[in-house]
Amino acid sequence: MQRYTFILPESRIESDDVVVASGLSQVEVAELVRRRDGASVLWSEFEHEGFRCFEMVQLATRNGSHRRTMLSATVPITKNVERDRALAMRLIDIQTIDRHGELCDGVVLTDEAYVARLVHVAERREARRLDREIATAIVDALLQDGSSITCCVRDPEPQIKRFRRRDDILELLFDLEDPEIRVHKRGRTPSGIRFVFGEVGWDCVADYSKDLAYFIDPIVEPHLPWVKSPDGSERGYRVFVLPSPAEGDGADPGADRAFDEFVLGMHSIFGS
């Protein structure tokens, strides 16, 4: 039997949803939705030319306004009134769950969907943590090298110009989704870094000037998914590096092995 979770969702990724109830049956979650926040429910039924019609009217106050919402179900008349009523009630329960946003504040999810939501939230939090870890390490490295930073250079009038105050720089940096900074150091042409936050974390450095590679690469590379984890296990990626023609024509056995691995790898992926 399908079970449901009723939550008050949080829009901020760092905040947990409020779980009102979980493991509810279809009947239980529908009743919770209909009577949420003290709403009143009126029921009525009548017959019309071979059909029985059942109506549910919810009277509720939301955000200071009074609302009247009606759901109904019509079934063919049989000799069993209770069975007709049960069928209609099931149809109204289904509508109540499907249209819960019209009846109350909150969200109805299946228990499985809520577990999937928790996994997604954990992934987004990890991406956010990695965004901040990498960007903070880069800013620290630049400031320790004696550079100053302008952020965000795409604004007509950047809020921060040639700053060295770490906390101010990071506060503005993390308030934007795709900030771009300029790095200044006496005697050098200003360099640039463009960040994109909110993806998967390790890819937050979208672009940068080549002269900053010796700062950025050592910070980013340990987090790349194709780099082996500390225990030596693979992270799900494999990179094939083909030998150059000069290496392939030589007697280097390593070049031959690299080519053979490439052929076998392509065969395993695409088949014969």
Side-chain angles (χ1 to χ4, degrees):
M1 181 182 296
Q2 183 66 68
R3 294 287 169 173
Y4 297 87
T5 298
F6 185 94
I7 66 172
L8 302 178
E10 280 286 346
S11 58
R12 298 171 55 189
I13 195 67
E14 63 269 19
S15 300
D16 293 332
D17 300 322
V18 176
V19 179
V20 176
S22 61
L24 301 177
S25 67
Q26 186 179 78
V27 172
E28 290 170 334
V29 74
E31 187 66 5
L32 186 155
V33 167
R34 286 191 288 262
R35 297 189 180 277
R36 179 75 181 162
D37 295 328
S40 300
V41 178
L42 305 177
W43 295 94
S44 61
E45 58 183 83
F46 56 88
E47 297 181 7
H48 181 71
E49 295 185 359
F51 293 92
R52 285 195 175 100
C53 181
F54 298 82
E55 292 182 349
M56 184 282 301
V57 176
Q58 184 206 52
L59 304 176
T61 301
R62 293 175 65 188
N63 302 321
S65 62
H66 300 289
R67 301 190 181 190
R68 180 182 185 276
T69 307
M70 185 182 76
L71 300 177
S72 64
T74 301
V75 298
I77 292 177
T78 70
K79 295 180 180 180
N80 190 328
V81 178
E82 291 304 318
R83 188 176 65 182
D84 294 351
R85 183 178 291 113
L87 176 58
M89 282 296 301
R90 184 182 174 208
L91 294 173
I92 291 175
D93 285 345
I94 292 171
Q95 292 181 69
T96 298
I97 295 170
D98 289 345
R99 299 171 58 181
H100 65 267
E102 301 173 35
L103 298 167
C104 71
D105 293 325
V107 173
V108 176
L109 300 169
T110 65
D111 285 357
E112 292 82 358
Y114 180 63
V115 171
R117 177 180 173 85
L118 292 179
V119 172
H120 174 73
V121 168
E123 291 173 347
R124 300 315 306 146
R125 286 177 176 174
E126 174 58 19
R128 180 184 177 90
R129 184 198 66 76
L130 197 51
D131 280 342
R132 290 172 176 260
E133 178 182 328
I134 291 174
T136 299
I138 290 172
V139 168
D140 285 344
L142 293 171
L143 294 178
Q144 290 171 10
D145 187 55
S147 299
S148 60
I149 293 174
T150 296
C151 178
C152 175
V153 298
R154 281 178 291 171
D155 292 342
E157 188 65 27
Q159 296 184 42
I160 287 179
K161 294 182 179 180
R162 296 178 178 267
F163 263 41
R164 286 188 48 79
R165 293 200 291 270
R166 174 184 186 269
D167 291 346
D168 291 340
I169 294 168
L170 293 176
E171 181 179 1
L172 179 57
L173 202 63
F174 296 138
D175 193 44
L176 304 170
E177 290 186 358
D178 54 348
E180 187 171 348
I181 68 175
R182 284 286 180 271
V183 180
H184 311 272
K185 191 171 183 181
R186 181 173 297 179
R188 295 183 185 175
T189 302
S191 305
I193 305 174
R194 184 168 70 88
F195 295 94
V196 175
F197 298 134
E199 298 297 329
V200 293
W202 57 264
D203 61 345
C204 65
V205 180
D207 194 16
Y208 58 92
S209 301
K210 290 183 178 179
D211 62 304
L212 296 178
Y214 73 100
F215 284 111
I216 295 173
D217 289 350
I219 294 171
V220 174
E221 284 178 356
H223 302 286
L224 298 180
W226 51 84
V227 175
K228 287 187 175 182
S229 59
D231 63 3
S233 62
E234 297 285 350
R235 294 188 176 181
Y237 293 80
R238 189 173 183 187
V239 179
F240 295 101
V241 180
L242 287 174
S244 66
E247 292 171 329
D249 290 340
D252 183 2
D256 291 338
R257 283 197 302 272
F259 183 78
D260 290 342
E261 288 180 3
F262 172 78
V263 173
L264 292 173
M266 292 302 99
H267 179 77
S268 65
I269 296 171
F270 299 106
S272 56

mmCIF file of all heavy atoms in Angstrom, residues 238 240-243 255-272:
data_model
loop_
_atom_site.group_PDB
_atom_site.id
_atom_site.type_symbol
_atom_site.label_atom_id
_atom_site.label_comp_id
_atom_site.label_asym_id
_atom_site.label_seq_id
_atom_site.Cartn_x
_atom_site.Cartn_y
_atom_site.Cartn_z
ATOM 1 N N ARG A 238 36.806 7.156 -16.297
ATOM 2 C CA ARG A 238 38.074 6.631 -16.789
ATOM 3 C C ARG A 238 38.490 7.453 -17.994
ATOM 4 O O ARG A 238 37.687 7.684 -18.896
ATOM 5 C CB ARG A 238 37.937 5.160 -17.181
ATOM 6 C CG ARG A 238 39.293 4.514 -17.496
ATOM 7 C CD ARG A 238 39.157 3.035 -17.724
ATOM 8 N NE ARG A 238 40.438 2.404 -17.945
ATOM 9 C CZ ARG A 238 40.602 1.141 -18.297
ATOM 10 N NH1 ARG A 238 39.545 0.366 -18.447
ATOM 11 N NH2 ARG A 238 41.805 0.638 -18.479
ATOM 12 N N PHE A 240 41.011 7.857 -21.199
ATOM 13 C CA PHE A 240 41.958 7.202 -22.092
ATOM 14 C C PHE A 240 42.852 8.254 -22.730
ATOM 15 O O PHE A 240 42.367 9.249 -23.274
ATOM 16 C CB PHE A 240 41.217 6.446 -23.199
ATOM 17 C CG PHE A 240 40.384 5.298 -22.705
ATOM 18 C CD1 PHE A 240 39.013 5.430 -22.561
ATOM 19 C CD2 PHE A 240 40.965 4.094 -22.375
ATOM 20 C CE1 PHE A 240 38.239 4.385 -22.113
ATOM 21 C CE2 PHE A 240 40.208 3.027 -21.921
ATOM 22 C CZ PHE A 240 38.842 3.178 -21.793
ATOM 23 N N VAL A 241 44.161 8.071 -22.649
ATOM 24 C CA VAL A 241 45.119 8.977 -23.267
ATOM 25 C C VAL A 241 45.845 8.214 -24.359
ATOM 26 O O VAL A 241 46.625 7.297 -24.084
ATOM 27 C CB VAL A 241 46.126 9.524 -22.239
ATOM 28 C CG1 VAL A 241 47.102 10.479 -22.933
ATOM 29 C CG2 VAL A 241 45.394 10.218 -21.108
ATOM 30 N N LEU A 242 45.540 8.573 -25.605
ATOM 31 C CA LEU A 242 46.174 7.881 -26.727
ATOM 32 C C LEU A 242 47.602 8.374 -26.918
ATOM 33 O O LEU A 242 47.895 9.554 -26.726
ATOM 34 C CB LEU A 242 45.385 8.128 -28.016
ATOM 35 C CG LEU A 242 44.049 7.394 -28.132
ATOM 36 C CD1 LEU A 242 43.314 7.844 -29.383
ATOM 37 C CD2 LEU A 242 44.268 5.897 -28.163
ATOM 38 N N PRO A 243 48.505 7.476 -27.324
ATOM 39 C CA PRO A 243 49.882 7.898 -27.609
ATOM 40 C C PRO A 243 49.929 8.729 -28.882
ATOM 41 O O PRO A 243 49.069 8.612 -29.756
ATOM 42 C CB PRO A 243 50.624 6.561 -27.780
ATOM 43 C CG PRO A 243 49.562 5.604 -28.225
ATOM 44 C CD PRO A 243 48.314 6.024 -27.512
ATOM 45 N N ALA A 255 53.170 2.753 -24.898
ATOM 46 C CA ALA A 255 52.312 3.317 -25.935
ATOM 47 C C ALA A 255 51.413 2.244 -26.518
ATOM 48 O O ALA A 255 50.225 2.472 -26.776
ATOM 49 C CB ALA A 255 53.168 3.960 -27.029
ATOM 50 N N ASP A 256 51.963 1.051 -26.735
ATOM 51 C CA ASP A 256 51.142 -0.050 -27.261
ATOM 52 C C ASP A 256 50.039 -0.426 -26.280
ATOM 53 O O ASP A 256 48.896 -0.680 -26.680
ATOM 54 C CB ASP A 256 52.028 -1.266 -27.552
ATOM 55 C CG ASP A 256 52.966 -1.032 -28.727
ATOM 56 O OD1 ASP A 256 52.647 -0.146 -29.550
ATOM 57 O OD2 ASP A 256 53.998 -1.721 -28.800
ATOM 58 N N ARG A 257 50.367 -0.470 -25.003
ATOM 59 C CA ARG A 257 49.350 -0.816 -23.989
ATOM 60 C C ARG A 257 48.245 0.234 -23.944
ATOM 61 O O ARG A 257 47.064 -0.092 -23.801
ATOM 62 C CB ARG A 257 50.006 -0.961 -22.614
ATOM 63 C CG ARG A 257 50.769 -2.260 -22.423
ATOM 64 C CD ARG A 257 51.033 -2.510 -20.942
ATOM 65 N NE ARG A 257 51.786 -1.423 -20.327
ATOM 66 C CZ ARG A 257 53.113 -1.360 -20.296
ATOM 67 N NH1 ARG A 257 53.838 -2.341 -20.853
ATOM 68 N NH2 ARG A 257 53.730 -0.352 -19.708
ATOM 69 N N ALA A 258 48.627 1.515 -24.057
ATOM 70 C CA ALA A 258 47.635 2.590 -24.015
ATOM 71 C C ALA A 258 46.655 2.471 -25.184
ATOM 72 O O ALA A 258 45.451 2.644 -25.026
ATOM 73 C CB ALA A 258 48.331 3.949 -24.037
ATOM 74 N N PHE A 259 47.198 2.139 -26.356
ATOM 75 C CA PHE A 259 46.322 1.992 -27.529
ATOM 76 C C PHE A 259 45.413 0.779 -27.367
ATOM 77 O O PHE A 259 44.213 0.830 -27.682
ATOM 78 C CB PHE A 259 47.166 1.856 -28.803
ATOM 79 C CG PHE A 259 46.327 1.771 -30.041
ATOM 80 C CD1 PHE A 259 45.756 2.918 -30.592
ATOM 81 C CD2 PHE A 259 46.081 0.546 -30.662
ATOM 82 C CE1 PHE A 259 44.968 2.841 -31.731
ATOM 83 C CE2 PHE A 259 45.296 0.468 -31.784
ATOM 84 C CZ PHE A 259 44.735 1.621 -32.333
ATOM 85 N N ASP A 260 45.955 -0.326 -26.868
ATOM 86 C CA ASP A 260 45.135 -1.529 -26.665
ATOM 87 C C ASP A 260 44.021 -1.274 -25.652
ATOM 88 O O ASP A 260 42.884 -1.724 -25.835
ATOM 89 C CB ASP A 260 46.019 -2.690 -26.187
ATOM 90 C CG ASP A 260 46.952 -3.194 -27.279
ATOM 91 O OD1 ASP A 260 46.684 -2.892 -28.465
ATOM 92 O OD2 ASP A 260 47.947 -3.866 -26.938
ATOM 93 N N GLU A 261 44.332 -0.544 -24.567
ATOM 94 C CA GLU A 261 43.314 -0.220 -23.571
ATOM 95 C C GLU A 261 42.205 0.636 -24.167
ATOM 96 O O GLU A 261 41.020 0.465 -23.863
ATOM 97 C CB GLU A 261 43.948 0.517 -22.383
ATOM 98 C CG GLU A 261 44.794 -0.375 -21.494
ATOM 99 C CD GLU A 261 45.389 0.405 -20.338
ATOM 100 O OE1 GLU A 261 45.084 1.626 -20.229
ATOM 101 O OE2 GLU A 261 46.145 -0.188 -19.558
ATOM 102 N N PHE A 262 42.591 1.545 -25.063
ATOM 103 C CA PHE A 262 41.592 2.386 -25.717
ATOM 104 C C PHE A 262 40.652 1.548 -26.574
ATOM 105 O O PHE A 262 39.432 1.690 -26.510
ATOM 106 C CB PHE A 262 42.292 3.448 -26.571
ATOM 107 C CG PHE A 262 41.337 4.234 -27.440
ATOM 108 C CD1 PHE A 262 40.566 5.244 -26.887
ATOM 109 C CD2 PHE A 262 41.221 3.943 -28.788
ATOM 110 C CE1 PHE A 262 39.677 5.962 -27.684
ATOM 111 C CE2 PHE A 262 40.337 4.648 -29.590
ATOM 112 C CZ PHE A 262 39.564 5.664 -29.036
ATOM 113 N N VAL A 263 41.210 0.653 -27.367
ATOM 114 C CA VAL A 263 40.397 -0.200 -28.245
ATOM 115 C C VAL A 263 39.458 -1.078 -27.420
ATOM 116 O O VAL A 263 38.263 -1.192 -27.714
ATOM 117 C CB VAL A 263 41.298 -1.059 -29.149
ATOM 118 C CG1 VAL A 263 40.456 -2.071 -29.931
ATOM 119 C CG2 VAL A 263 42.089 -0.169 -30.111
ATOM 120 N N LEU A 264 39.993 -1.694 -26.361
ATOM 121 C CA LEU A 264 39.158 -2.550 -25.514
ATOM 122 C C LEU A 264 38.076 -1.740 -24.802
ATOM 123 O O LEU A 264 36.938 -2.198 -24.640
ATOM 124 C CB LEU A 264 40.037 -3.276 -24.488
ATOM 125 C CG LEU A 264 40.990 -4.338 -25.060
ATOM 126 C CD1 LEU A 264 41.919 -4.852 -23.967
ATOM 127 C CD2 LEU A 264 40.196 -5.500 -25.673
ATOM 128 N N GLY A 265 38.441 -0.539 -24.373
ATOM 129 C CA GLY A 265 37.463 0.311 -23.696
ATOM 130 C C GLY A 265 36.329 0.708 -24.622
ATOM 131 O O GLY A 265 35.153 0.666 -24.233
ATOM 132 N N MET A 266 36.648 1.092 -25.839
ATOM 133 C CA MET A 266 35.609 1.451 -26.808
ATOM 134 C C MET A 266 34.736 0.262 -27.140
ATOM 135 O O MET A 266 33.522 0.370 -27.302
ATOM 136 C CB MET A 266 36.257 2.005 -28.092
ATOM 137 C CG MET A 266 36.957 3.358 -27.931
ATOM 138 S SD MET A 266 35.880 4.688 -27.328
ATOM 139 C CE MET A 266 36.296 4.695 -25.564
ATOM 140 N N HIS A 267 35.350 -0.917 -27.213
ATOM 141 C CA HIS A 267 34.587 -2.121 -27.523
ATOM 142 C C HIS A 267 33.601 -2.444 -26.398
ATOM 143 O O HIS A 267 32.450 -2.826 -26.641
ATOM 144 C CB HIS A 267 35.529 -3.307 -27.740
ATOM 145 C CG HIS A 267 34.813 -4.595 -28.038
ATOM 146 N ND1 HIS A 267 34.267 -4.872 -29.279
ATOM 147 C CD2 HIS A 267 34.534 -5.670 -27.263
ATOM 148 C CE1 HIS A 267 33.691 -6.050 -29.255
ATOM 149 N NE2 HIS A 267 33.856 -6.560 -28.037
ATOM 150 N N SER A 268 34.050 -2.255 -25.136
ATOM 151 C CA SER A 268 33.163 -2.560 -24.007
ATOM 152 C C SER A 268 31.993 -1.591 -23.933
ATOM 153 O O SER A 268 30.911 -1.931 -23.453
ATOM 154 C CB SER A 268 33.947 -2.536 -22.699
ATOM 155 O OG SER A 268 34.416 -1.227 -22.432
ATOM 156 N N ILE A 269 32.206 -0.360 -24.421
ATOM 157 C CA ILE A 269 31.143 0.640 -24.367
ATOM 158 C C ILE A 269 30.163 0.508 -25.528
ATOM 159 O O ILE A 269 28.946 0.494 -25.352
ATOM 160 C CB ILE A 269 31.741 2.074 -24.358
ATOM 161 C CG1 ILE A 269 32.563 2.283 -23.081
ATOM 162 C CG2 ILE A 269 30.664 3.134 -24.480
ATOM 163 C CD1 ILE A 269 33.364 3.575 -23.076
ATOM 164 N N PHE A 270 30.714 0.376 -26.719
ATOM 165 C CA PHE A 270 29.863 0.403 -27.921
ATOM 166 C C PHE A 270 29.627 -0.959 -28.542
ATOM 167 O O PHE A 270 28.784 -1.110 -29.436
ATOM 168 C CB PHE A 270 30.497 1.330 -28.974
ATOM 169 C CG PHE A 270 30.642 2.750 -28.515
ATOM 170 C CD1 PHE A 270 31.889 3.249 -28.173
ATOM 171 C CD2 PHE A 270 29.538 3.573 -28.394
ATOM 172 C CE1 PHE A 270 32.031 4.564 -27.741
ATOM 173 C CE2 PHE A 270 29.657 4.872 -27.942
ATOM 174 C CZ PHE A 270 30.919 5.381 -27.632
ATOM 175 N N GLY A 271 30.349 -1.969 -28.086
ATOM 176 C CA GLY A 271 30.168 -3.312 -28.633
ATOM 177 C C GLY A 271 30.857 -3.444 -29.981
ATOM 178 O O GLY A 271 31.528 -2.542 -30.469
ATOM 179 N N SER A 272 30.657 -4.602 -30.563
ATOM 180 C CA SER A 272 31.328 -4.871 -31.847
ATOM 181 C C SER A 272 30.607 -4.187 -32.987
ATOM 182 O O SER A 272 29.432 -3.878 -32.906
ATOM 183 C CB SER A 272 31.377 -6.380 -32.080
ATOM 184 O OG SER A 272 30.076 -6.922 -32.033
#
